[in-house]
Amino acid sequence: MTEPAPKPVNRSMTDAGAWRSDRLDVDGYLARLGIPARPPGRAALDEIHERHVRTFTFDNADVLLRQHPGVDLDAVQEKFVGRGRGGYCFEHSTLLSAALEQLGYRVIRRLARVGDPAGGPVGTRTHLVVEVVLDGERLLCDPGFGMSIVRPVPLIDGHEEEQDGERFRVVRTHEGDVAAWQLQRLRGQGWEVQHTTDEIPVHPADVADGHHVTSTSPGSHFTTSLIVARRLPDRHVTLTSDGVTIRRPGAPTEHQDVSPGELREWLGILDPHLSAEETERLLAWAAEHRTVSQRPAGRPTTAG
């Protein structure tokens, strides 16, 4: 059964005021996605979500370049809408949630913990997702995860669906006494928990604090490893300082090391809309932090 939607909140205090969604140039955002404005509905929501994840890269380039502008809406829309850049979850979900509010959707921002609690310690609540309540149905939007859903999924315990050759499942759980939801992806060894989203209210300060941790902590993988990911028409590609992972529907996952020259080529393919100067600085950072194995660059391996 579909879980009951959360009780209505005072939108004038939480959304229009605190989140400042009215500052978004929603026409510019839709133009960047290449789609027109449509009345709220499931088909329109699916279209916006999918176009978003296919248009903007998931990357931490600005973190590594020590030039991150922050995750408030003004900074995010200048970066994404103005320059076509990408970023990570705090930016993606900040932009999508503001756009959906402008377009008439009921939006609830949620924080999640990444990782599988059964597999060991998990991190802090440093992943931002978006819940949309539409026609009485609760839907999880997750535009800012490196390998995640293409379209929203219903928050229904046990719900499964396939998207772009990947199978996802939603599981109802708890974080202590707080209701929560796991988003799981089917891997070769079984279901893997991507993250657990709780239902604790989220405020702008929570998002700013989470961004501070992930963008400055020496223990954050965003400060220690390059990642640029994008859904291309026929594959999902994740690029790091040392290698590339390619996933195609119905095919084994392919991993291969990359040389510095190949890293430049892959940046061109994924196109995170970096300037020439930013690209050179990022390549210099990657060269300094390479940890690649001795296997010849370009030689592929496969994994389930």
Side-chain angles (χ1 to χ4, degrees), residues 24-39:
L24 175 67
D25 174 12
V26 70
D27 292 333
Y29 170 74
L30 294 174
R32 180 66 71 176
L33 300 188
I35 57 177
R38 298 168 58 188

Side-chain angles (χ1 to χ4, degrees), residues 260-282:
E262 291 168 329
L263 181 60
R264 181 187 296 273
E265 292 176 10
W266 276 109
L267 282 175
I269 292 170
L270 297 178
D271 191 17
H273 284 230
L274 296 168
S275 69
E277 184 267 344
E278 288 171 330
T279 298
E280 295 306 318
R281 287 168 56 205
L282 193 62

Side-chain angles (χ1 to χ4, degrees), residues 148-169:
S148 189
I149 53 177
V150 182
R151 295 171 296 278
V153 294
L155 288 174
I156 300 173
D157 189 23
H159 173 82
E160 295 183 25
E161 65 179 73
E162 185 173 307
Q163 298 186 5
D164 268 22
E166 300 284 342
R167 191 150 194 88
F168 296 92
R169 181 171 72 178

Side-chain angles (χ1 to χ4, degrees), residues 77-153:
Q77 78 164 317
E78 190 280 328
K79 181 179 175 182
F80 280 59
V81 179
R83 292 184 283 142
R85 285 292 318 282
Y88 63 172
C89 68
F90 296 114
E91 299 163 285
H92 282 275
S93 289
T94 290
L95 183 60
L96 180 65
S97 59
L100 294 178
E101 283 178 336
Q102 285 261 44
L103 293 167
Y105 293 89
R106 182 181 168 203
V107 168
I108 305 170
R109 294 157 181 84
R110 300 290 194 194
L111 285 172
R113 299 181 191 274
V114 176
D116 187 349
V122 294
T124 56
R125 298 166 69 239
T126 51
H127 180 58
L128 183 66
V129 300
V130 182
E131 179 182 330
V132 171
V133 181
L134 182 64
D135 297 329
E137 184 177 38
R138 302 176 63 183
L139 300 162
L140 175 67
C141 300
D142 190 20
F145 200 82
M147 179 65 189
S148 189
I149 53 177
V150 182
R151 295 171 296 278
V153 294

